[in-house]
Amino acid sequence: PKSDGIISISSYLSNYYQGKGCQTVVIPPIVSEYQENKGRNAIKTIVYAGIPFRLGRRVKNTDEVKDRLDLAIRGIAEIIRRGGNVVFDIYGVTKEQYLTAYPVDKYILSGMDNNIRFHGKVAMKTVQKAINLADFTILLRNKNRATMAGFPTKVVESISCGTPVITTRTSDLDEYLGSKEVFFIDISDEKEMIDDLEQAMGCNMELLQSMKRNCAINKQFCPETYESVLYNFVKGVKK
């Protein structure tokens, strides 16, 4: 609050610092390179990459975890049980690490090794390649102060790889992205969440390829988009 100007990553933070008398500008995470999605999958393929919780301990309160990987797994497992043909690749945690956090999900994952695949920690290039070849990435988060104040860089990384995202409405996502690039789903009701996931998984190839193309040409997270905005902001603060 003692600063003359604040470059914030979300409107939540911008509004907070404006209330403290600061000049602010909102600039989301940016990426310098975009690429076309190269995936042509016979089976719908979804990727999650990250560390969704503290490793080595059981999750006692899901309000405190970073990402709701548990909901993603349960939803996709249910779709598979309904006959959906889906592959869910998870990077960042092993199956053993996940079950340490959520031991009650052991029965959910039983018999799912061919469809829900844990890869553990791998090189960043491996993750980026997997995202670029996937049909979707998925990022489900609770709506709270932390998720509204921040901005999910995982979404930006996926868009820059030409890959649509299945995600929740947190931060300012819906100000930058819409149905051309993402499927927004509500996780407050698990049945509704599963229905939304099933709808995303059931999208036809024409719609999916259109979404991938829209991601590849999206300019919302390009540095050039904010060049003049940032220049004018800094110029104004200096006065």
Side-chain angles (χ1 to χ4, degrees):
K2 295 180 181 179
S3 301
D4 297 309
I6 299 288
I7 301 170
S8 61
I9 205 167
S10 67
S11 58
Y12 184 101
L13 287 178
S14 179
N15 293 336
Y16 172 82
Y17 286 112
Q18 282 181 4
K20 300 291 184 180
C22 300
Q23 295 185 59
T24 68
V25 65
V26 178
I27 297 180
I30 56 177
V31 287
S32 57
E33 294 184 8
Y34 275 67
Q35 55 184 316
E36 293 183 3
N37 183 286
K38 296 181 176 63
R40 297 295 183 270
N41 303 301
I43 301 174
K44 289 274 175 48
T45 302
I46 310 171
V47 165
Y48 169 84
I51 308 294
F53 43 70
R54 291 186 178 181
L55 300 180
R57 63 178 66 179
R58 182 172 182 171
V59 172
K60 296 181 179 179
N61 184 356
T62 55
D63 289 333
E64 297 177 356
V65 300
K66 183 179 180 183
D67 303 334
R68 295 301 306 273
L69 177 60
D70 59 314
L71 290 180
I73 286 175
R74 291 169 195 170
I76 291 170
E78 176 59 28
I79 291 170
I80 293 167
R81 287 193 179 89
R82 292 179 182 181
N85 203 3
V86 181
V87 170
F88 186 21
D89 285 314
I90 299 167
Y91 295 87
V93 294
T94 64
K95 184 177 180 179
E96 290 72 25
Q97 288 170 329
Y98 178 80
L99 289 176
T100 297
Y102 296 99
V104 295
D105 284 359
K106 184 176 182 179
Y107 78 95
I108 292 176
L109 291 171
S110 178
M112 291 282 178
D113 287 348
N114 290 332
N115 295 89
I116 300 178
R117 308 184 298 197
F118 291 83
H119 300 273
K121 188 176 180 180
V122 299
M124 179 59 71
K125 287 185 177 180
T126 301
V127 173
Q128 290 173 336
K129 182 177 180 180
I131 292 173
N132 184 238
L133 292 173
D135 295 307
F136 296 100
T137 60
I138 188 166
L139 181 66
L140 306 182
R141 288 182 170 176
N142 294 325
K143 198 169 186 177
N144 53 40
R145 184 170 63 177
T147 59
M148 295 308 292
F151 198 104
T153 55
K154 291 183 179 70
V155 172
V156 179
E157 291 164 355
S158 182
I159 297 297
S160 71
C161 288
T163 305
V165 188
I166 301 168
T167 188
T168 39
R169 293 181 186 272
T170 56
S171 190
D172 297 333
L173 280 178
D174 53 2
E175 293 186 19
Y176 297 93
L177 301 167
S179 59
K180 291 182 178 181
E181 302 96 359
V182 302
F183 276 102
F184 283 117
I185 66 173
D186 185 358
I187 62 172
S188 61
D189 182 283
E190 191 162 329
K191 181 180 181 302
E192 184 177 338
M193 178 199 74
I194 293 171
D195 290 342
D196 288 345
L197 276 173
E198 195 166 35
Q199 183 180 355
M201 293 300 95
C203 73
N204 59 46
M205 187 58 65
E206 183 180 357
L207 174 58
L208 182 57
Q209 293 307 319
S210 175
M211 292 182 74
K212 290 180 178 181
R213 287 192 296 270
N214 288 328
C215 290
I217 63 175
N218 183 287
K219 300 298 181 184
Q220 293 283 10
F221 307 112
C222 291
E224 294 79 11
T225 301
Y226 302 96
E227 187 174 355
S228 61
V229 173
L230 186 57
Y231 174 82
N232 291 328
F233 172 71
V234 174
K235 188 177 178 180
V237 170
K238 287 176 65 179
K239 291 181 179 179

